[in-house]
Amino acid sequence: MVVHSQSAALDHCSLIKTCKPTTSVFKGIPVVDLRDPEAKNLIVKACEEYGFFKLVNHGVPMEFFTRLEAEALKFFNLPQSYKDKAGPPDPFGYGFKKIGSNGDVGWVEYLLLNTNPQITSLNSLTVFRETPEIFRSAVNDYIQAVKRMTFEVVELLADGLKIEPRDALSRLLRDEKSDSCFRLNHYPPCPELQALGGRNLIGFGEHTDPQIISVLRSNNTSGLQICLRDKTWVSVPPDQTSFFINVGDALQVMTNGRLRSVRHRVLAESMRSRVSMIYFGGPPLSEKIAPLASLMAKGEESLYEEFTWWEYKTSAYKSRLGDYRLGLFEKKTGGAAGQ
C-alpha cells in the first residue's frame, strides 16, 4: 500500500470518509492487572461502565508481540502483486481498503485468519505459502498464548458476575468448533493528511465487534478511539506492552444488556504506520445466543429475541460497518436495549 504523490494519495483515498479531529486523549481508561486479587470485580466494573479496559501483567511474552509485528510488517511490505494472491477476502485472506462487501472502505490493509484448524481457507493457505515458515510460527505462537489469556479473562468475568458454571463463556471459546478469528491490520502513514483541511482520515470506520470478546494489541502508534456513553469520541493512548479488551455484541446479549459492546474506530496517522493484532473470540456457529439464566433476576425478561451465532454473523455481514446490528434482534415489546 504505497502511494508516491500527494495528488495520487488524495485520489487513492477519495472514497474514504473523514471526520473532525478529536483532541481529547482519554486518561480514564480502566486498567486491570490480571494478577490482582480484585481483578474479577475490576473487569466487571470496567465492562459495565465502558465495555473496554486495558489489561496489564497478562503473562504473554513480549517476544511474541515483537516477533509477530516484525513478520507482519514484512508481509505488508511485500509487492502488491504478492499480497493480492491471498485475496480478495472470502472473508479470510488479504484485504486492501475495502472492508466487507457493502461499500465500507478505510485507509487500511489487513489479513484475516481463521483460528479453527478444522476450517481451511485457500486464501489463508496462500498467505503462508507466500511467506517464510517463521510467519506461520509467529502467528500460531501468538494466537495460542492470547487464547489462554482470554480464557482466564472471561472466567474471571464470570466469577465477578457470579455466572454459573464459571466456564459458561470460556467453554464457547475453547470449543473445537469455536468460530473465532484473528486479524492483522496495517495502517500506513498518510503524509498528505494536511491537504484534508485539518480533518482526520478514517483508517477503520466506527463499529462494534459482533463476537463475545475482542483482544487487541498494537504498536505505539496512536489512532484507536472509543465512543463514550455520552457519544463523545476520545483517543486511547497506545501501549504496545498491554492488551485492550472489548466487550462484543454477543456478550451484551448474554448479559441482557448489563455489559455493552463498545463502539470504536481507528484514524490514520500522517507520519507513522500503525500495526494492530486482534483475536476475536466467537462461539460455535450453532450456539444459541441468549441471556444467561444465572444472570437473570426473577421475572426479568430478555431484551432480545433468541438467535444463533450463525444467524447474527450472517446478518452482520449483510450490514454496513457502522450499523447498529443488534437492533434487528431486540424485542419490540417489553422494553428495548437501545443503541
Side-chain angles (χ1 to χ4, degrees):
M1 191 170 178
V2 179
V3 180
H4 297 289
S5 71
Q6 177 168 317
S7 60
L10 293 178
D11 178 65
H12 199 57
C13 64
S14 60
L15 297 178
I16 300 175
K17 291 182 179 180
T18 61
C19 64
K20 294 179 181 178
T22 301
T23 56
S24 56
V25 174
F26 189 53
K27 298 182 179 178
I29 300 291
V31 179
V32 177
D33 182 331
L34 191 56
R35 304 304 159 208
D36 188 329
E38 283 296 305
K40 65 180 183 180
N41 297 320
L42 295 173
I43 290 172
V44 170
K45 186 173 187 292
C47 290
E48 287 179 336
E49 294 182 1
Y50 298 102
F52 181 86
F53 63 93
K54 182 164 84 169
L55 187 69
V56 301
N57 199 16
H58 44 70
V60 178
M62 188 67 188
E63 69 177 85
F64 286 8
F65 295 172
T66 55
R67 186 162 67 116
L68 179 54
E69 184 179 322
E71 294 305 317
L73 281 172
K74 288 179 185 177
F75 174 83
F76 289 123
N77 287 329
L78 287 172
Q80 193 65 43
S81 60
Y82 278 85
K83 293 183 288 188
D84 287 342
K85 291 179 182 179
D90 61 1
F92 301 111
Y94 173 76
F96 167 62
K97 282 205 324 179
K98 188 177 179 182
I99 302 169
S101 58
N102 300 305
D104 292 298
V105 292
W107 189 253
V108 64
E109 58 180 341
Y110 63 88
L111 277 175
L112 184 63
L113 303 172
N114 181 39
T115 64
N116 187 339
Q118 293 188 355
I119 300 175
T120 302
S121 161
L122 292 178
N123 283 344
S124 297
L125 292 175
T126 301
V127 169
F128 295 120
R129 190 167 57 243
E130 296 293 324
T131 54
E133 173 60 30
I134 190 174
F135 185 35
R136 181 195 289 265
S137 174
V139 168
N140 288 340
D141 287 349
Y142 180 89
I143 289 175
Q144 293 308 312
V146 170
K147 275 185 175 182
R148 288 192 294 270
M149 181 204 70
T150 304
F151 301 156
E152 186 175 358
V153 169
V154 296
E155 287 178 357
L156 284 170
L157 174 64
D159 288 342
L161 289 171
K162 297 180 172 58
I163 294 173
E164 296 178 355
R166 80 184 296 259
D167 70 347
L169 299 173
S170 64
R171 70 172 180 82
L172 301 177
L173 307 185
R174 294 179 190 269
D175 194 297
E176 63 179 12
K177 295 182 179 179
S178 167
D179 186 43
S180 299
C181 58
F182 180 65
R183 187 180 185 113
L184 286 163
N185 288 332
H186 177 228
Y187 303 92
C190 186
E192 295 78 18
L193 283 178
Q194 292 87 342
L196 295 176
R199 294 179 66 83
N200 288 122
L201 186 67
I202 298 292
F204 207 107
E206 64 174 271
H207 63 288
T208 59
D209 296 331
Q211 292 87 356
I212 294 173
I213 193 170
S214 307
V215 180
L216 176 145
R217 182 266 167 188
S218 76
N219 63 358
N220 257 356
T221 300
S222 61
L224 176 63
Q225 296 190 332
I226 62 171
C227 187
L228 303 179
R229 294 291 170 83
D230 64 2
K231 309 300 182 184
T232 301
W233 283 98
V234 293
S235 295
V236 177
D239 183 348
Q240 64 182 358
T241 66
S242 304
F243 289 103
F244 291 95
I245 312 294
N246 293 357
V247 169
D249 294 342
L251 186 55
Q252 177 172 323
V253 174
M254 296 172 79
T255 60
N256 207 31
R258 179 173 171 181
L259 308 184
R260 304 293 296 277
S261 54
V262 62
R263 188 162 286 264
H264 53 288
R265 67 186 182 189
V266 175
L267 306 183
E269 274 271 333
S270 61
M271 302 306 294
R272 300 179 62 195
S273 67
R274 174 180 167 88
V275 177
S276 62
M277 42 198 78
I278 312 102
Y279 166 69
F280 298 96
L285 290 172
S286 61
E287 185 70 25
K288 289 183 178 180
I289 307 299
L292 296 167
S294 60
L295 284 181
M296 300 290 279
K298 186 177 181 179
E300 182 180 356
E301 293 187 8
S302 171
L303 299 175
Y304 307 92
E305 304 288 352
E306 189 176 276
F307 52 89
T308 64
W309 169 241
W310 181 86
E311 289 171 329
Y312 188 62
K313 179 180 177 180
T314 301
S315 175
Y317 272 123
K318 292 178 180 177
S319 68
R320 295 295 298 268
L321 198 59
D323 289 347
Y324 178 52
R325 299 158 174 163
L326 279 177
L328 296 174
F329 296 87
E330 289 176 348
K331 288 187 176 179
K332 306 309 178 188
T333 58
Q339 185 170 353

